[in-house]
Amino acid sequence: IDPVGGDIVSVGLIDYPISVDQPDIPFQLLNRNSEHTYIAQSGLVGEKGTDKAGQPRPYYHSSLPSYEMGDKENLVVDLTLNQDDGVKITKRLTFTRGGYLVNVDVIVDNASSETWSAALFAQIKRDGSADPGLDSSGFGLPTFIGGAYWDEDKPYNKKTFDEFTDEPLNKEIPGGWLAFIQHYFMSAWIPDQSMKLRYQTRTTSGHYIISYITPAVKVNAGDQYIFNNRFYAGPKILSKLEEVEPDKGLDL
């Protein structure tokens, strides 16, 4: 987790080593380095948002430099941002043993004297590099790599990299999910299913982004509001995907 923005910038899958000869090195699904970018981002935009266009991302603080689940069933990592106006933003990531789903709650505690207002965005950002799971021998079947999302007209929609530019998505969708998929693995943001969100795709500086943004939320002085989101990063195992979102076709 990068404290700048509180983004998830590295996910290694310990049950899936990169090769038989290297059983102790996990397959790296999400990563950010000089050669590859594949990350999950979220933040707050709008009137009181912490993520302003053209400005640095906010720096979140945590009580520890690193965390381990140990023998617990759950691990909670709180990233906090105390603003000068008295508003406290907490990005709370909850991990579960044996699972690939992370609850990502963004908690707004408005201890200021004024009404707070902003919207939450969540997005997956990836470069256009090839699927690392492709058969390089030339004899394997071609597989899809790109974006995917749910909407009320069709439960499973795909977006190729070219379509991010040529046919960009810009649609209001109730609940749903968005994802990047490849041969064996996928990542997905799943929002609060009670909300209508604006789903979009775009390209920037050689990167492909699929995102949603909530409506702006007002939080009165002295009140608290929680944006609920979930993030999945792991294998395309249908039973696990059905558990994550059984009614919206994530298993498709």
Side-chain angles (χ1 to χ4, degrees), residues 26-232:
F27 174 74
Q28 197 74 20
L29 180 58
L30 269 64
N31 202 9
R32 184 183 63 189
N33 55 38
S34 60
E35 299 176 350
H36 186 41
T37 297
Y38 183 6
I39 59 177
Q41 299 177 295
S42 59
L44 298 166
V45 293
E47 182 183 349
K48 298 288 187 177
T50 56
D51 294 80
K52 304 286 188 183
Q55 296 184 15
R57 303 287 305 285
Y59 189 96
Y60 287 84
H61 295 271
S62 60
S63 59
L64 297 171
S66 64
Y67 294 78
E68 291 186 9
M69 185 167 288
D71 57 2
K72 300 187 295 291
E73 289 302 307
N74 295 286
L75 172 66
V76 176
V77 177
D78 276 358
L79 309 173
T80 58
L81 177 67
N82 292 301
Q83 298 182 288
D84 294 339
D85 59 3
V87 178
K88 178 182 178 182
I89 308 295
T90 303
K91 190 175 284 193
R92 176 168 293 163
L93 291 83
T94 304
F95 302 84
T96 302
R97 177 180 298 282
Y100 298 98
L101 188 68
V102 184
N103 286 346
V104 183
D105 297 322
V106 179
I107 306 165
V108 180
D109 287 293
N110 185 4
S112 74
S113 58
E114 300 180 354
T115 298
W116 179 95
S117 177
L120 179 132
F121 77 88
Q123 65 186 33
I124 303 173
K125 179 179 181 180
R126 193 190 190 283
D127 59 36
S129 59
D131 186 340
L134 283 178
D135 183 348
S136 60
S137 68
F139 295 101
L141 293 173
T143 58
F144 177 78
I145 180 170
Y149 65 96
W150 178 94
D151 73 27
E152 53 197 331
D153 300 322
K154 185 180 176 184
Y156 180 57
N157 303 270
K158 297 192 295 185
K159 281 283 183 186
T160 66
F161 287 140
D162 287 342
E163 288 174 329
F164 273 59
T165 302
D166 300 338
E167 301 176 34
L169 171 67
N170 186 8
K171 185 175 184 179
E172 192 174 75
I173 296 173
W177 50 265
L178 59 81
F180 256 110
I181 59 176
Q182 59 195 55
H183 193 186
Y184 299 111
F185 304 103
M186 63 177 285
S187 63
W189 277 110
I190 304 103
D192 182 338
Q193 296 299 300
S194 68
M195 280 188 162
K196 274 198 170 183
L197 307 103
R198 174 65 59 178
Y199 279 70
Q200 295 178 313
T201 58
R202 66 186 188 277
T203 58
T204 176
S205 303
H207 295 113
Y208 300 85
I209 297 172
I210 184 167
S211 65
Y212 61 66
I213 183 171
T214 71
V217 171
K218 293 185 181 296
V219 184
N220 293 328
D223 287 350
Q224 181 188 82
Y225 184 84
I226 302 176
F227 292 95
N228 300 119
N229 301 270
R230 293 173 291 163
F231 179 70
Y232 180 92

